[in-house]
Amino acid sequence: MESTTPSTPDAEAPLVRLRNVGKRFANGTLALQGMSLNIGAHDFISFLGPSGCGKSTALRLIAGLTRASSGEMAWTGGAAARTDRDLGFVFQEPTLMPWAKVFDNVWLPLKLAGMKRDAAAPVVQQVLEMVGLSRFADVYPRELSGGMKMRVSIARALVTHPRLLLMDEPFAALDEMTRIKLNNDLLAIWREHRFSVVFVTHSVYESVYLSNRIVVMAARPGRVIDEIRIDEPYPRGEAFRTSSRYNAHCTAVSQSLHGALHGVDIDH
Ligand code: ADP
């Protein structure tokens, strides 16, 4: 397939804009301070940083699961332009209903939106196919491996064809080989379906492999200290993963993260 560099997201209207967004919890913790970010159409953005730097808080703010205490956040076209269907969320744990078969787990968001089982069936089948689980609609989550459960969770998040997929350390609990496979499959799905992704990770290697933009964050208070673009073409496969360019990007991102750990802002 033809190699494509991620489009120039800045040239298009961003999907979501954050302006100086902050979050202080009731106990006084300043979890996030002054975050500004444009999430472009078809961006793959990673939030990278040490524990407690506000990655999950930022993701939950974007998802509308928690409210900002300062600043502004807006979807392109205003609040009316965004519906629940525009957003998919994948947590670190697959959070599947153990008593329900794979099909029913994936159907859930459509069911909640009022879609009957029969009407939803083709969409559910299509999204199961997308994640490589078309033959597993009728099994229970307990019969699946950790990686397969995560695939179900991704299918459930994508079943409404969201414009934005938010992922909170989705592969952190998986073994290395499964993680690499899921990284590759996620990139393939993202490239084909052209939604935007915001992906929280602790891993420099994972963020460089996946993203076109990496937002480096620091803790106490949680804040953005750097943004690094990974201007490398997709698809990215083993050739990229073993290239000197990949290594050079990982080194640059590690240095920025090192600054984050020591509270130093990096000047590019
Ligand atoms: P990360 O995802 O980068 O590990 P979080 O966004 O979970 O960071 O947390 C950022 C900071 O906010 C941490 O100091 C954390 O302890 C604090 N925090 C997170 N959630 C809450 C909450 N509900 N109440 C109070 N403090 C919180």
Side-chain angles (χ1 to χ4, degrees):
M1 193 181 276
E2 187 190 332
S3 162
T4 53
T5 305
S7 57
T8 47
D10 294 340
E12 303 171 20
L15 195 56
V16 184
R17 283 175 207 269
L18 282 78
R19 285 290 167 274
N20 224 6
V21 168
K23 174 71 183 181
R24 188 183 290 280
F25 285 104
N27 66 0
T29 303
L30 186 55
L32 194 66
Q33 188 180 47
M35 184 176 203
S36 294
L37 181 72
N38 284 351
I39 302 172
H42 201 46
D43 260 337
F44 198 124
I45 300 176
S46 285
F47 291 169
L48 177 73
S51 286
C53 70
K55 303 183 295 297
S56 297
T57 300
L59 208 64
R60 293 172 59 81
L61 281 166
I62 295 166
L65 294 172
T66 182
R67 289 177 75 91
S69 30
S70 57
E72 289 168 17
M73 196 189 82
W75 280 68
T76 303
R82 175 214 178 297
T83 69
D84 285 345
R85 286 178 160 232
D86 282 333
L87 204 83
F89 205 116
V90 175
F91 300 90
Q92 184 171 347
E93 296 299 323
T95 61
L96 304 177
M97 301 179 293
W99 61 86
K101 290 181 175 176
V102 164
F103 181 99
D104 297 292
N105 270 285
V106 174
W107 170 37
L108 183 68
L110 296 178
K111 186 180 177 183
L112 293 174
M115 197 185 273
K116 296 269 182 291
R117 205 173 198 284
D118 283 355
V123 189
V124 171
Q125 272 308 335
Q126 184 213 10
V127 84
L128 282 175
E129 204 158 300
M130 216 193 272
V131 298
L133 289 182
S134 49
R135 290 182 297 112
F136 294 87
D138 276 335
V139 309
Y140 288 96
R142 65 171 174 273
E143 300 170 68
L144 301 176
S145 67
M148 291 163 92
K149 283 183 193 149
M150 186 46 72
R151 287 172 186 275
V152 178
S153 179
I154 294 170
R156 182 183 53 193
L158 292 178
V159 77
T160 58
H161 299 299
R163 287 190 288 165
L164 179 59
L165 180 65
L166 304 175
M167 308 184 85
D168 196 354
E169 295 196 57
F171 309 143
L174 302 176
D175 66 81
E176 182 76 7
M177 292 315 292
T178 305
R179 188 175 182 159
I180 289 174
K181 184 84 177 75
L182 276 163
N183 279 178
N184 289 338
D185 290 355
L186 173 62
L187 279 186
I189 295 168
W190 167 71
R191 291 185 69 240
E192 186 177 344
H193 296 273
R194 303 193 67 79
F195 45 84
S196 305
V197 180
V198 179
F199 188 98
V200 166
T201 179
H202 276 112
S203 164
V204 169
Y205 305 101
E206 189 173 45
S207 67
V208 170
Y209 187 68
L210 294 173
S211 325
N212 66 323
R213 297 165 62 195
I214 301 176
V215 173
V216 183
M217 300 175 69
R220 284 178 298 281
R223 66 203 187 281
V224 175
I225 61 151
D226 200 8
E227 183 180 322
I228 298 173
R229 300 191 79 97
I230 309 295
D231 281 323
E232 295 289 342
Y234 295 91
R236 296 178 183 172
E238 276 320 289
F240 176 58
R241 205 189 274 281
T242 52
S243 68
S244 56
R245 295 183 63 83
Y246 174 68
N247 264 316
H249 286 301
C250 290
T251 304
V253 173
S254 294
Q255 281 168 350
S256 177
L257 192 59
H258 187 75
L261 289 168
H262 294 86
V264 180
D265 285 289
I266 305 286
D267 237 353
H268 283 300

